[in-house]
Amino acid sequence: MSGRVYRLHSTLELPLEDVMSYFEGDPELPPEIEDIDITRRNNTLIIKAVSSDGNLSKYTPTAQLKASITETRVYEEEPPRTNGPKWGEEEEEIPSELVEFACFKGDRETVLQNTALQYPMFLVLRDLALQAEKGTLTAITDNDGELIATRIVEGEARPANVEVVENPRQESNGANGVNWRDNKFIS
């Protein structure tokens, strides 16, 4: 399998517990990836590909997914909306818990790092995105010479396509941009 990742943007947020149980459940990995190494350094989660190719040098950095870990309070039910504090009344506490989330947020270089095994590791990220209840994953990849557009929104694959235009600025007609050359405030 050959492939390449040209563009990638992710806003995925998954509970850290779900990410760990996903990999502990022995998911089907692409044939180029023998195993996954998961490391946590403070508030960063690094999921690194272990190559099944014996010819790949042990000093070659393989692709890795990088996520920041944040704590978020999750309520069992939606807190009631009040118009302000009611003095003298005791507020009822809503049951909640702190949950750690793995946030795969950013572009290709931020989320998917290193080039060896980059496309197979993208496939792992795509499978994780299908498990996410929050966030999106969009990408343009090449698999055996065919461009593939990927768009996953809140765990659901959505239609996407790649459009090639001669000059992208012709589409927008400059309506939303600033004409810097004829700007009277710049001399």
Side-chain angles (χ1 to χ4, degrees):
M1 175 189 294
S2 67
R4 187 165 174 199
V5 179
Y6 290 108
R7 290 190 180 256
L8 180 132
H9 183 74
S10 174
T11 61
L12 298 173
E13 290 184 26
L14 291 96
L16 182 59
E17 187 176 298
D18 291 356
V19 172
M20 300 307 273
S21 64
Y22 174 77
F23 286 111
E24 288 168 1
D26 200 24
E28 187 175 327
L29 299 172
E32 298 88 354
I33 299 176
E34 181 179 323
D35 198 8
I36 297 288
D37 271 346
I38 300 176
T39 307
R40 180 175 177 171
R41 294 186 193 135
N42 298 326
N43 290 331
T44 303
L45 183 71
I46 298 171
I47 303 169
K48 185 176 179 178
V50 177
S51 176
S52 58
D53 183 6
N55 294 330
L56 194 63
S57 169
K58 66 178 182 178
Y59 300 109
T60 301
T62 57
Q64 62 186 23
L65 300 174
K66 191 173 179 185
S68 60
I69 298 174
T70 61
E71 275 189 347
T72 303
R73 183 161 300 281
V74 177
Y75 294 93
E76 289 181 14
E77 58 186 63
E78 188 70 28
R81 304 273 181 203
T82 58
N83 293 339
K86 296 181 181 177
W87 305 106
E89 289 183 25
E90 201 165 308
E91 235 180 83
E92 186 178 318
E93 189 171 318
I94 298 168
S96 66
E97 64 177 317
L98 278 176
V99 177
E100 288 184 311
F101 280 86
C103 303
F104 298 91
K105 292 188 175 187
D107 294 324
R108 185 183 64 185
E109 295 79 18
T110 308
V111 176
L112 180 60
Q113 301 173 332
N114 303 333
T115 54
L117 302 177
Q118 188 178 64
Y119 182 74
M121 203 58 176
F122 164 74
L123 297 177
V124 171
L125 178 63
R126 184 192 65 191
D127 291 346
L128 267 177
L130 292 170
Q131 310 294 319
E133 293 180 10
K134 188 175 181 184
T136 62
L137 173 69
T138 56
I140 298 174
T141 57
D142 168 23
N143 185 15
D144 293 328
E146 179 184 351
L147 286 179
I148 300 168
T150 302
R151 184 171 148 229
I152 299 172
V153 179
E154 295 175 354
E156 181 183 324
R158 301 271 177 93
N161 59 30
V162 177
E163 182 180 340
V164 179
V165 294
E166 186 175 326
N167 186 351
R169 295 192 184 272
Q170 288 177 347
E171 285 293 314
S172 65
N173 295 328
N176 297 332
V178 175
N179 186 354
W180 294 105
R181 294 187 179 158
D182 295 329
N183 191 323
K184 65 182 179 182
F185 297 109
I186 298 175
S187 15

